[in-house]
Amino acid sequence: MPAATTARRQLALIALVQVLAMSSWFSASAVVPSLRDDWAISGQQGTLLTIAVQLGFVTGAVISAVLCLADRWPAHVLAAGSALVAAMSTATIALAVDSLAPALPLRFVTGVALAGVYPTGIKLMASWFEKGRGLAIGVLVGALTLGSTLPQLLDGLAGALGDLPWRSVLLTSSTLCLVAAVTALCWVRLGPLAAPAPPFDPRYLLRLAKERGPRLANLGYFGHMWELYAMWTWLPAYLAASFAVSGTWDESRATIGLVAFGVIGVAGVVGALGGGWLGDRVGRARVAGGAMAISASCCLLAAAAYGASPYLLLPILVLWGISIIADSGLFSTLMTEVADRRYVGTALTMQTAVGFLLTVVTINAVPYVVDWIGWRGAMAMLAVGPVAGAVAMARLDRFLAEATRPQHGTNSSRKPIAGP
């Protein structure tokens, strides 16, 4: 089979694993409205189901980064085992849990497991693509986006079909994770561009923080994460509140679930693919900075349009759904280019660990800001991250231009990539 065909086949398989496995991320969060009745919990308590996953992901990512698991273990085996654990923890909630307390540690375990799926998937993808890597990783991020919001679609359809039990949504997600595990183990493989397994060296994390290229790529990513998961988590609640104020559309389970899937999932796939494609042609740091500027503007527009007609609000949210994820794959691609190639998996895992730790802050902060000054203030608060990230991307763009500029009197160019 030709190398290009094999690479495209692996691209499709790795993306499929991401879509299926990441369906467990928001599986419990999507059914919180139903859990409020069955488990007698508040909206704040329901938020803990998302926070537990985020903290679990951070814990799993830190452990993986310190032990260099993504670089020292067979990547497809790590992804398969992790997806299997996510399937088991999600199924356990659906089959055996009747209250919040036992659900929280199981959601934490789900997060730990997913830390072995997403960063590992990026490493796998980078091992198959050098030319067009931005678009390839954009496909991966689009798969993450689609998979993360699949529970919103499932819950919306469950509501439209007659208020089906929330347990059926979780069992469906668990089944998808199981299929992801089988797919990764049987058909996904590491590509020819992967570096040999490096020696165990946790000190690389310290070197990573000192190098300007990785540091700026990380700062941009952190600004992106400040906004992303808070928007994804709270969009359904924002939609319900805004629709109630406008009095134009109903805020039923079916309506909110389907609209949220369209804004996060469908628009997100468009943004991830478009951002990756454009980044390969215009410059990844430049495109990431532009996407963050648009996304910050959408935060402010969403604040201003709260309670307005859905026909005014939805175009803003769709643009937000596109721009908020258009830069995500670019940060990962940039890291694969500026970090030591032997430790790309470790660098990506630590990047995501810190980024997801930051999401805990903003996910928790949104309901308090809503109680304090309302949804307009909460949406405007999210703009802080992408504004800071856009500044970091402008500096990284200049750094990369200087690093690749031929030195005076020679024909050579300095490469921004550290290590062999």
Side-chain angles (χ1 to χ4, degrees):
M1 185 180 293
T5 302
T6 302
R8 287 193 294 270
R9 180 173 179 268
Q10 286 293 314
L11 170 63
L13 289 169
I14 297 167
L16 178 62
V17 169
Q18 295 295 314
V19 170
L20 299 177
M22 289 300 160
S23 68
S24 63
W25 197 297
F26 286 105
S27 56
S29 307
V31 297
V32 163
S34 300
L35 296 180
R36 288 177 184 172
D37 297 329
D38 281 14
W39 292 358
I41 61 175
S42 66
Q44 289 281 8
Q45 289 174 312
T47 306
L48 295 176
L49 292 167
T50 300
I51 297 299
V53 179
Q54 307 298 105
L55 291 175
F57 186 95
V58 171
T59 302
V62 169
I63 293 172
S64 177
V66 170
L67 299 179
C68 304
L69 296 183
D71 294 307
R72 297 172 62 231
W73 284 12
H76 69 290
V77 175
L78 178 60
S82 300
L84 178 61
V85 172
M88 295 170 61
S89 60
T90 303
T92 302
I93 295 177
L95 297 173
V97 173
D98 293 305
S99 62
L100 181 65
L104 292 178
L106 287 167
R107 295 301 290 159
F108 181 87
V109 169
T110 300
V112 173
L114 292 178
V117 176
Y118 177 50
T120 306
I122 297 175
K123 174 184 171 66
L124 284 163
M125 192 77 75
S127 73
W128 285 101
F129 290 88
E130 186 167 25
K131 182 180 179 180
R133 180 178 292 180
L135 178 57
I137 296 184
V139 170
L140 184 70
V141 173
L144 162 73
T145 305
L146 191 62
S148 297
T149 195
L150 261 182
Q152 297 289 352
L153 175 63
L154 295 174
D155 193 53
L157 293 175
L161 294 174
D163 203 26
L164 295 177
W166 59 265
R167 296 181 189 275
S168 63
V169 175
L170 267 63
L171 283 174
T172 301
S173 176
S174 174
T175 302
L176 295 178
C177 286
L178 183 59
V179 175
V182 173
T183 302
L185 185 63
C186 295
W187 295 292
V188 172
R189 291 295 181 268
L190 199 63
L193 299 177
F200 176 61
D201 184 11
R203 294 174 299 175
Y204 175 66
L205 297 177
L206 298 177
R207 299 200 304 272
L208 189 69
K210 295 178 181 179
E211 297 171 2
R212 190 181 179 197
R215 186 172 65 249
L216 288 172
N218 279 332
L219 288 174
Y221 180 74
F222 300 156
H224 158 77
M225 293 298 282
W226 169 274
E227 172 196 22
L228 178 66
Y229 274 82
M231 186 270 208
W232 280 6
T233 300
W234 290 106
L235 179 66
Y238 168 84
L239 286 169
S242 183
F243 290 172
V245 170
S246 69
T248 305
W249 286 10
D250 72 271
E251 58 272 21
S252 68
R253 178 183 177 188
T255 300
I256 298 302
L258 295 176
V259 171
F261 177 76
V263 170
I264 300 173
V266 178
V269 170
V270 172
L273 296 178
W277 179 84
L278 194 60
D280 284 339
R281 286 154 179 78
V282 177
R284 295 179 182 115
R286 191 171 306 168
V287 172
M292 297 183 94
I294 295 172
S295 186
S297 300
C298 289
C299 293
L300 301 178
L301 290 172
Y306 173 74
S309 166
Y311 298 103
L312 172 64
L313 178 62
L314 289 184
I316 296 172
L317 296 181
V318 169
L319 179 60
W320 197 5
I322 293 172
S323 60
I324 199 172
I325 199 66
D327 51 358
S328 188
L330 299 175
F331 298 120
S332 301
T333 308
L334 286 164
M335 184 59 76
T336 67
E337 296 173 339
V338 298
D340 187 329
R341 289 177 177 173
R342 298 172 301 169
Y343 294 98
V344 163
T346 299
L348 289 168
T349 304
M350 182 53 66
Q351 182 187 63
T352 56
V354 178
F356 278 92
L357 183 60
L358 188 59
T359 68
V360 175
V361 176
T362 50
I363 290 173
N364 267 314
V366 166
Y368 291 103
V369 176
V370 170
D371 291 342
W372 179 33
I373 54 178
W375 277 107
R376 288 188 174 90
M379 294 297 102
M381 174 195 72
L382 298 182
V384 173
V387 168
V391 173
M393 287 299 95
R395 293 178 177 175
L396 181 58
D397 189 47
R398 289 196 296 270
F399 168 74
L400 293 175
E402 293 170 359
T404 55
R405 184 180 300 134
Q407 299 183 36
H408 181 69
T410 71
N411 292 323
S412 63
S413 297
R414 289 184 292 135
K415 297 292 184 183
I417 299 175

